[in-house]
Amino acid sequence: MPGAEPSQKPDSSLPDGTTRHVLTPRPPFRGYVIAAVLSLAGAALIVIAAAQGWANGWIALFAVLLALGIALGLTATWSMIRMRLYVDLDASGYRIHGAGQDRSGRWADVTRAALTESRSRLTLYHGQVARTHIVRPGVGDPREMDELAADVARRLDADRGYSQQP
């Protein structure tokens, strides 16, 4: 699954020691199937209507059906790309961006981190009241959240001077 492993990209704009986790939703298969059916049906009906000499109104209607199928496929792809969530972790803190948000914080301010049982949300606690929620987009891959939680734990331990024994 794309984005399941954290990536360090030396050729990107990420500073050294920064890990980028990309949380992606699962592809909208149902939307793609409906788009394909609409597109194929529209195209086939246009060919049949033209070959049989049907009225131009029918051909226009089938062209609209074809256009709706293409639009649905493009919309499904656009929404999947737009819902990606990027979580950048470095020695000093984190930055969450994408999917309409841009938040950041320092490890020194995080008092606790907890992953929900369903592995759909990682919560970073900042004292008794403040919270930062990292929510897996759509019905994404739980392994992405496991990797993120493990990396957050390593970063928190390193910030506090703890050592992890193998």
Side-chain angles (χ1 to χ4, degrees), residues 157 162-166:
D157 286 348
Y162 304 147
S163 64
Q164 293 185 357
Q165 300 296 327

Side-chain angles (χ1 to χ4, degrees), residues 79-137:
S79 69
M80 187 176 74
I81 292 170
R82 183 96 167 112
M83 285 179 62
R84 284 187 187 150
L85 186 65
Y86 300 93
V87 182
D88 297 337
L89 307 177
D90 61 19
S92 62
Y94 61 89
R95 178 172 177 235
I96 305 161
H97 53 102
Q101 56 186 312
D102 192 358
R103 297 175 286 155
S104 60
R106 300 173 334 133
W107 297 127
D109 299 332
V110 176
T111 56
R112 183 168 79 111
L115 185 62
T116 60
E117 188 174 325
S118 65
R119 296 170 19 223
S120 63
R121 183 180 66 218
L122 177 65
T123 303
L124 303 176
Y125 293 81
H126 306 276
Q128 294 294 320
V129 178
R131 308 280 187 269
T132 299
H133 300 285
I134 304 171
V135 180
R136 186 176 67 207

Side-chain angles (χ1 to χ4, degrees), residues 34-71:
I34 293 170
V37 168
L38 286 174
S39 298
L40 290 174
L45 289 169
I46 287 172
V47 171
I48 291 170
Q52 296 295 323
W54 293 0
N56 288 339
W58 285 108
I59 294 174
L61 178 68
F62 300 146
V64 168
L65 189 66
L66 172 65
L68 286 174
I70 292 170

Side-chain angles (χ1 to χ4, degrees), residues 1 3 5 7 14 42 49 62 70 74 114 128 137 142 144 163:
M1 175 130 228
E5 297 293 324
S7 60
L14 294 176
F62 300 146
I70 292 170
L74 292 173
Q128 294 294 320
E144 292 175 338
S163 64

